[in-house]
Structures are given as structure tokens and as C-alpha cells.
Amino acid sequence: MSKPVLHHPLREPPPAATGTYQNTVPVAEGRPDVEMARVLGTTPFRMALDSSGAGIAHWKHKPLHDVVEPMTHHVIMAYSGAMQRIERRTGRSVAIGTFRPGVVIIIPEGSSSRWDIPKPADIVVLYLPRKTIQRVADQAGGGAPIDLLERTAHPDPITSRLLLSAADVLDGSAALDTLFRQQLTDLLATRLLAAHTGSPTPIGPTTGGLSPTVLRRAIERLRSDSDADVSLAALATDAGLSRFHFCRAFKESTGLSPHAWLRQHRLEQAMNMLRDTDASVVSIAAALGYGSQTAFAAAFRKLTGETPSDWRRRLR
């Protein structure tokens, strides 16, 4: 990339926000969520990062009139809220756009701009390390260095819809949340390669599913207890495939993504335990790997329309 990556002095991490705040990453110079917390003057409503710094955050912030300093990751944003006009200044260049659902903002790694956003905003953000998008490009058959284009309120309803879907899908189950986040990150990286680089990377169609043996092994891992490693990396390694190809082949074989399959399996487990045992909702939530009864009840209701207690009561 032509622009150097500059760094801030070390800052303290933002305090945990109301909602889901998962963060296993030590504070690092130039970390994008730290810079965004500084410039937005708030903490994320929800956030989940992995050890690479890749992650997803849901921010609700006040009007912004400030310079966003260079960050060490690509930052991709989708907007949800009332329509408003925004300005982005980079050197002598001025880009004017309209914030509305269906548009995206892309801040490439190392880029610095002044932003003028006159009204409060509700955004979902993907932090994407350069090595992640390069890995997806290599696995998809590319190989050339990848540079994302700067975008200011650029129409892209596909990317916007994918990213906004993350705001409500973090269920409070470590295994499900990690698998979802990894899967969505790779999917969004694929979309960015196809639509937001100087030389778009063609992504070929899926050419086949997993062999019966490999599929059985993957399903056995997904069905194992809540402490098992069911990350996309572990599943792909077991299958002898890249994350990119495993995810596509698994869906070709089952009709579901790995995350959707695991979520359906956990729902079936929950229903069996509610129907066939007298275990409390708290103990069922813990057995299925949820961080709390509240998180389990919210996830169950999202899929069934009922709380676990109401579902059990109605069935009995």
C-alpha cells in the first residue's frame, strides 16, 4: 500500500459498553476500536474482536467533526438511521455523500480523513486486517496484493445488509458467536474483493460439497460438547481445506452455513432438554455454552418466538 501506517501513542482501552462487549485483544498501538472510541467519544454498544484484531462493533454516536487518524486495519461501515449528508476530507480532496441504509463507508488501512457528520449515527463496523483479506484472495484464486478503495456513502446494499445483520446475531454463546464472526468476516472479505478493489477478484461458483467422510467428521465436531473448538479454522483444518473452501463446500452439502447448522443443532438440544428433563433453564443455558440465562432466552425466543419457559409450559 502506498500510504504508511502511522500509529498513535498508547491509549487505555475504552470501558465496557452496555450490551455485548467481548474483547480478548490486549491494547495495541493504533488498534482501530481504540481510535474510534477516541474520535466518537463513546464506547461500542456491542463489540466482538478476535486475537487478530478482526471483529465487529455496533456504535451509536453523536455528531462528528474530527480527524480519524490512520488505523492498522481496514474499516468497513454500514449505516442504519435517518438520511443525512456527510463530508469526508482527505488532503485537498472532498467527498460528499448521503448516509442512508444500503450504503457503505470504507476506510482503508493507513488512511486519514476529516469527517463531518452533522447528526447522530447508528453504524455497524467491520475491522478487517490486511492479512485476512489477502488470505481470502489467495484462497479464492487471486494472489496479487489487495488494496481497498476509499468509499464514502457508496451504494452497496449487499455488503450493507450482511454487515447490519451482525448487530443482532451475537447470541451470548462463545462457540456460536466466534463461528458467526469468522464466517461473516470471510464472506464480507469475499464481497469486498469482488466490488471494492482496483482490480476485482473473480470468485468462482461452488464446484462441489464435502465428501461423506469429511462431512461426518465436521458434524461430529459441531455436535461435540460446548468446550470443543468449533471455530471455522478448526473445522477447515480437520477437513484439509481453507476456511474459504470449507465454508462453501459445507453449505453445498447441507444447505446451511456452519454457523446456521450449529445454531439449529443447539436449538434442537435445548428443545429436547426442555421437553424431556426437569433441568432448570439456567442449567440448560450453561450446558449449551451460553454465558447467561438471559442470553440463552433471547436466542431461543429469536428462533421460536417464545421464551424457553413459555415453550416448556405450552408443550406440557
Side-chain angles (χ1 to χ4, degrees), residues 1-7 29-30 70-73 109-111 130:
M1 190 154 183
S2 58
K3 297 180 181 178
V5 178
L6 305 178
H7 297 293
E29 193 174 347
M71 291 181 278
T72 56
H73 292 21
E109 171 198 64
S111 174
R130 167 181 283 275

Side-chain angles (χ1 to χ4, degrees), residues 192-215:
L192 293 168
L193 288 168
H196 298 288
T197 66
S199 301
T201 301
I203 307 297
T206 303
T207 56
L210 299 172
S211 71
T213 300
V214 172
L215 178 60

Side-chain angles (χ1 to χ4, degrees), residues 132-154:
T132 298
I133 196 169
Q134 190 66 58
R135 170 182 57 76
V136 174
D138 293 344
Q139 292 171 358
I146 301 300
D147 288 325
L148 292 185
L149 300 173
E150 286 194 349
R151 300 292 200 192
T152 304
H154 182 85

Side-chain angles (χ1 to χ4, degrees), residues 99 114 123 140 163 180 217 219 234 259 273 282 290 293 308 312:
F99 249 175
R114 175 183 170 84
I123 56 174
L163 192 46
F180 171 78
R217 197 160 60 233
I219 288 176
H259 172 262
M273 294 172 77
V282 172
Y290 285 89
Q293 177 183 347
R312 171 184 265 172

